[in-house]
Amino acid sequence: MAQIVSAFWKRKTLEQMDRQEWESLCDGCGLCCLQKLEDEDDASAIYYTRVACKLLDLNTCRCSDYANRRRHVPDCVQLTPAMAEEFAWLPPTCAYRLVAEGEDLPPWHHLVCGDPQAVHKVGISQAGRMLAEDSVANEDWEEHIIFRV
Ligand code: SF4
Ligand code: SF4
């Protein structure tokens, strides 16, 4: 009799995943690469803007020079399983945050629906709606807030 094996993100913790599983979790939304603002009066609040990191491709939502990104963006954060308890700063739709919080992946996630473009088709990503970093003065980022976490 065939054995039904549940999806790896339901039976493994982030720490237990192999590299391929870990990498495949990313839905490619690019939201974590958007510029963020902190609230001086509320240290726990992070505001996401539609202003993109200078290396983010505004249409594909992918880093345009991932291998060398630290040369251009020294504070780029590389997510690791060891950081899982600190994933509250990530977008609520981020697969790493969802799994870290014991949640399932959404229906549009490519591991669930099989379509890597679904994240763009259903409007989770900001593909085509982002602003280039050098097109908006830092003091104007506040005008482009899209959500807070
Ligand atoms: S927010 Fe999460 S799922 Fe989206 S690109 Fe960043 S790491 Fe990947
Ligand atoms: S350097 Fe690349 S991976 Fe890092 S935030 Fe910018 S676009 Fe994202």
Side-chain angles (χ1 to χ4, degrees):
M1 183 189 287
Q3 194 179 356
I4 298 172
V5 180
S6 63
F8 71 85
W9 62 90
K10 293 188 201 171
R11 62 188 155 79
K12 291 187 177 185
T13 64
L14 292 172
E15 295 264 8
Q16 292 168 335
M17 291 179 190
D18 63 30
R19 188 178 174 82
Q20 191 269 332
E21 290 169 337
W22 169 266
E23 297 292 336
S24 72
L25 266 191
C26 180
D27 62 36
C29 71
L31 294 177
C32 59
C33 302
L34 295 174
Q35 300 294 354
K36 305 158 198 75
L37 296 169
E38 290 175 337
D39 189 336
E40 286 176 1
D41 301 320
D42 181 358
S44 67
I46 297 172
Y47 296 85
Y48 277 68
T49 75
R50 67 173 74 254
V51 180
C53 167
K54 61 186 174 188
L55 286 192
L56 193 64
D57 184 299
L58 301 184
N59 293 308
T60 65
C61 305
R62 296 284 178 178
C63 184
S64 59
D65 193 6
Y66 192 74
N68 303 304
R69 67 196 188 286
R70 287 276 174 76
R71 264 190 235 155
H72 311 284
V73 185
D75 59 352
C76 173
V77 178
Q78 167 132 34
L79 302 182
T80 66
M83 300 158 72
E85 288 184 10
E86 300 156 25
F87 281 173
W89 67 270
L90 287 166
T93 54
C94 174
Y96 296 101
R97 178 173 168 179
L98 289 169
V99 173
E101 294 176 352
E103 303 289 338
D104 199 356
L105 298 183
W108 49 261
H109 193 283
H110 65 93
L111 291 176
V112 178
C113 73
D115 180 3
Q117 295 304 313
V119 65
H120 308 304
K121 291 176 188 166
V122 303
I124 298 299
S125 81
Q126 291 286 315
R129 293 177 283 166
M130 293 180 281
L131 300 169
E133 185 177 310
D134 61 6
S135 72
V136 187
N138 289 25
E139 57 268 30
D140 294 335
W141 286 5
E142 205 172 326
E143 294 171 20
H144 302 288
I145 289 171
I146 48 176
F147 62 87
R148 74 159 272 187
V149 295

